[in-house]
Amino acid sequence: MRSISNLIDDLGGDTAVAGVLGLKAATTVASWKARKSIPVKHWPRVVSAARERGLKDVSYENLVSMHADEVAS
């Protein structure tokens, strides 16, 4: 299973994810990587963006697992 950081990188990195989500600053996404957590309100667009980029293993269930794995480690 990928990590939150890997997922953000696979989606194109901090700046690309910020753009996809309509955020003003890539530093917001960088802080998610540092916290190892993406706010739930952004999950629908993250899943959609992943599908658009061919990342088929990104789903709500997998996001829950990624977050749970990050908390457990």
Side-chain angles (χ1 to χ4, degrees), residues 30-43:
S31 72
W32 298 348
K33 285 170 72 172
R35 286 193 326 253
K36 302 178 183 180
S37 179
I38 298 171
V40 173
K41 71 180 185 178
H42 295 291
W43 287 15

Side-chain angles (χ1 to χ4, degrees), residues 3-6 8 12 14 17 22 28-33 35-37 39 42 45 51 57 59 61 63 66 70:
S3 68
I4 298 301
S5 182
N6 292 135
I8 291 169
D14 301 356
V17 172
T28 300
V29 178
S31 72
W32 298 348
K33 285 170 72 172
R35 286 193 326 253
K36 302 178 183 180
S37 179
H42 295 291
R45 188 63 190 121
R51 289 184 184 152
D57 64 335
S59 65
E61 293 82 11
L63 283 169
M66 281 184 241
E70 295 287 8

